[in-house]
Each structure stands twice: as structure tokens, then as C-alpha cells.
Amino acid sequence: MRRLAFALLIGLMAYAPAAQATEEPAQPAAERGPVTNLPLPRFVSLKAAEGNVRRGPSRTHRVDWVFKRRNMPLQVVSEYGHWRRVVDRDGAGGWMHYSLLSGARTALVTLDKLPLHARPDASTRVIAYAQEGVVARLGECADGWCEVRISGIEGWSPMAHLWGAGAPAP
């Protein structure tokens, strides 16, 4: 009798994980930065007017180039101590000190003559047009639209034409 109960218990234990696995597929856990515990990748902006982009995460590493555009959106893809590995819209990147970066959300306009609408609807009045490459401050984003502010003008733009808006691609 004990053997039967033991065999039944082993059978149930073997079946239980298989039953759980078929109920719902596991969602992949969002990767978190080991230093900040913030999601990776994520968007930030350049706080300073200039920022050195280094080959590695320390001041002893060579400077590959210098970003010279305040508020430019960047994507953080890795962390190491006080350093963040960032990439720009073109995928060029390197390591920057965290003090040069801000959590303020900005976006780069990716469409020439992008219409800024009065409300998040393509049928509403166009307030202004933005040139490709302009940096916009991001407000609220919902349903594929983002509120943006460019040179004091506020309007709504489709998220698809703003690099730095929405969830970054891994």
C-alpha cells in the first residue's frame, strides 16, 4: 500500500510542473540594470552641452567622439558603476559618465515636416510642422501619440515619428 501511495505521489509531482507549464507561457522578465535597478534598455537625454563618449567605462579609456547636442535622446543599454553604455539613433555608442545624463525624456523627430496636431488625432488642426532632426521634449504618451514641446510650441505627434518615445527595442 505504501508503494502505491509513493508511486502515486511521484506521479502527481511529475505531472504538476507539466500542467503549470501548459497553462500560461512565461513572460520574459525585463532586464534590470545591476547598478540602478532601472529597466534596460531605456531612454535618457544628454544633460550637458558636451559629453565625451569613451571606448570603455573609465576616464582612462580613449574618447572616441563627443556628443555636442544638449537634450539629445540616448538609449542606455548597459551599466557599470558610474558609467552607462549609450547608443544614439544611428546605433553609434560608447560609455558616458552618469552625471552627463538626465532622466528627462526627449525625442528626435524622424520625419521631415512632421505635423504637430492640437489633439492626439490626425484629423485635428495642425499647429506647426517640425523638421527632421529637431529635439522635442516629451510629455504624456498614449495610444500611439505623444505630447511634444518644441521651441515653446506644444502639440501632439504620432509616436512612430519620434525616436526616444515609447519602449526602446532590446
Side-chain angles (χ1 to χ4, degrees), residues 14 27 39 58 70 93 109 136-137 139 167:
Q27 295 288 349
S58 79
R70 185 185 306 269
V109 173
R137 291 256 180 210

Side-chain angles (χ1 to χ4, degrees), residues 5 19 27-28 43 45 51 60 79 97 114 128 134 145 150-153 158 164 166:
Q27 295 288 349
F43 288 112
S45 58
T60 59
E79 301 177 345
H97 196 267
L114 176 69
V134 169
W145 288 82
I150 302 171
S151 299
I153 298 171

Side-chain angles (χ1 to χ4, degrees), residues 58-77:
S58 79
R59 291 194 177 163
T60 59
H61 284 89
R62 182 178 133 194
V63 174
D64 282 336
W65 61 85
V66 179
F67 284 135
K68 292 191 172 202
R69 192 165 184 193
R70 185 185 306 269
N71 297 323
M72 183 171 79
L74 298 167
Q75 186 177 11
V76 175
V77 295

Side-chain angles (χ1 to χ4, degrees), residues 9-89:
L9 180 63
I10 295 296
L12 286 175
M13 287 175 34
Y15 175 74
Q20 288 176 352
T22 58
E23 287 177 15
E24 273 186 54
Q27 295 288 349
E31 186 179 349
R32 309 295 275 182
V35 178
T36 62
N37 200 33
L38 294 172
L40 289 178
R42 68 178 178 277
F43 288 112
V44 296
S45 58
L46 184 62
K47 184 190 312 184
E50 288 188 353
N52 290 337
V53 181
R54 297 181 180 272
R55 191 157 288 185
S58 79
R59 291 194 177 163
T60 59
H61 284 89
R62 182 178 133 194
V63 174
D64 282 336
W65 61 85
V66 179
F67 284 135
K68 292 191 172 202
R69 192 165 184 193
R70 185 185 306 269
N71 297 323
M72 183 171 79
L74 298 167
Q75 186 177 11
V76 175
V77 295
S78 184
E79 301 177 345
Y80 181 81
H82 293 297
W83 296 87
R84 307 295 176 260
R85 180 152 175 65
V86 297
V87 293
D88 66 5
R89 175 185 174 203

Side-chain angles (χ1 to χ4, degrees), residues 108-132:
L108 200 62
V109 173
T110 61
L111 178 71
D112 196 28
K113 296 184 182 176
L114 176 69
L116 301 181
H117 294 271
R119 288 189 304 279
D121 182 355
S123 65
T124 60
R125 178 175 60 94
V126 173
I127 298 170
Y129 292 91
Q131 291 181 334
E132 183 176 6

